Amino acid sequence: RRRPSPPPPPPVRPLIPAAAASPMAIDHEGPIWDALAMGEETLVRRADTSAFNWMGTHPRFGSVAHAVCFGLIAIVDEQAAGGQNAYYDLIYDTHDGAQQRLSLLEYVMEQGADPRIIAPATCDDWRSWPRGEYDWGDDAETEYVEFAATSAVSCLLAAKRVVTLLWKARLQRIDTALDLVSRASSWRGDVARASVSERVPETWASVLADTSTADVAILVQEEPGALEKEGRERERGQVNPGGGGAKIYAHSAVL
C-alpha cells in the first residue's frame, strides 16, 4: 500500500506593511488627569498639554479644579491602587503636597480651567475630615461634603464650613484655594488664554535681544510739542538733518 501524501503546507499570509497596521492606542489625557488629582505639579507643567481640554470633566475626578483640590471624588475600592487613599486632597495632603496643589491650581487657572464647572453625576463620593489634627475617631468626623452636580468653588466653600477652627492650617489652604479660583479668567470674563510652550517666549526673547537684526527705528517724543519744536528749529536751520530725540530700534517681524 502506498503511504498517504503529506498534507499541503498552510497558505502563506502576505505581510502587512507597517503603514497599514493598526495604530498603537495612546492615552493622551488619562495620565494628565491622574497627575492633576495627585497634585503632581512638575509633571503637569512639563507634559504636552497642547491638546488637553482644560474645560473638560472626568467621570472620576470632576473638573480640573475638582481634581486638583479634591483628588478622586467617585466611589471606588479605597484599597486599590486607584482608590481615594492613593490621591489624597488639599486638606488631607502633607504641607509640601498642599503647597504643590495650590501652585498647580494657580497654573491650571492660568491655562483656562473654570472652577464653576459642575462635577458629573458619576462623581458620587462624599468626603469628611477630622475636626482637629489628632481627632480620627468616627465621632470626630466633620459633616459630609458631596461633589456630584456641584462646582469646585461650592465644594471648597462647603469644606470650609465643615472644617473647624481647630484646624487653622488646613483652613488657610482652603482660603488660598478660594483666592486662586476667584481670580480665574473664566470667572472674570477675561479673554480666553491659549497654552503656549515655554520655548516660544524664550525664542522671542532671543530675537529681541539681538540688536544687530533690528531694522526699524522709532523716534521717541520726550515731551509734549517736541516734534513741533524740532520742526521750527529745522526751519531756522538750528537742527541738523537726521537729528532729533532718542531712538528705539525694533524688529519689523515682531511689529
Side-chain angles (χ1 to χ4, degrees):
R1 300 175 57 185
R2 299 177 58 184
R3 289 184 298 178
S5 301
V12 179
R13 296 182 179 179
L15 295 177
I16 302 177
S22 299
M24 182 181 297
I26 299 177
D27 185 3
H28 293 282
E29 293 198 351
I32 297 177
W33 279 105
D34 276 334
L36 290 169
M38 295 173 65
E40 294 289 340
E41 176 195 4
T42 302
L43 178 57
V44 174
R45 286 180 178 269
R46 292 180 178 176
D48 179 10
T49 57
S50 57
F52 183 76
N53 182 12
W54 297 101
M55 300 280 285
T57 59
H58 190 280
R60 293 192 300 154
F61 302 125
S63 70
V64 170
H66 282 102
V68 175
C69 293
F70 298 104
L72 176 68
I73 56 176
I75 297 178
V76 298
D77 183 3
E78 292 186 358
Q79 303 305 320
Q84 175 186 327
N85 294 341
Y87 290 94
Y88 295 99
D89 60 29
L90 181 64
I91 300 173
Y92 269 131
D93 216 334
T94 64
H95 173 75
D96 291 341
Q99 296 308 308
Q100 289 186 20
R101 285 182 183 272
L102 292 173
S103 180
L104 178 58
L105 181 61
E106 182 176 18
Y107 175 75
V108 300
M109 292 297 104
E110 292 173 351
Q111 304 310 306
D114 192 339
R116 301 168 302 174
I117 296 176
I118 64 173
T122 52
C123 297
D124 52 355
D125 193 14
W126 56 87
R127 191 78 43 86
S128 65
W129 299 272
R131 293 186 181 276
E133 291 283 0
Y134 306 105
D135 296 333
W136 290 92
D138 293 338
D139 296 336
E141 292 288 311
T142 66
E143 289 76 11
Y144 291 108
V145 172
E146 297 180 337
F147 302 103
T150 307
S151 69
V153 179
S154 296
C155 291
L156 285 169
L157 291 171
K160 183 174 182 178
R161 289 195 297 270
V162 302
V163 175
T164 68
L165 293 176
L166 296 176
W167 220 354
K168 294 181 180 179
R170 311 304 167 108
L171 282 172
Q172 182 61 41
R173 298 178 182 182
I174 300 175
D175 286 337
T176 304
L178 285 169
D179 177 64
L180 291 173
V181 298
S182 69
R183 289 184 268 150
S185 60
S186 55
W187 192 330
R188 299 195 314 267
D190 293 352
V191 177
R193 302 183 182 184
S195 178
V196 178
S197 172
E198 294 181 357
R199 289 191 290 270
V200 173
E202 293 175 357
T203 301
W204 282 112
S206 63
V207 171
L208 294 174
D210 186 5
T211 57
S212 64
T213 59
D215 55 353
V216 176
I218 302 176
L219 181 64
V220 179
Q221 183 176 347
E222 299 180 351
E223 60 182 72
L227 293 179
E228 291 79 0
K229 179 180 178 182
E230 181 180 341
R232 292 192 297 270
E233 292 176 350
R234 286 180 182 278
E235 292 177 356
R236 295 195 295 267
Q238 297 176 348
V239 178
N240 294 328
K247 295 179 180 180
I248 298 177
Y249 294 93
H251 303 74
S252 59
V254 177
L255 298 175

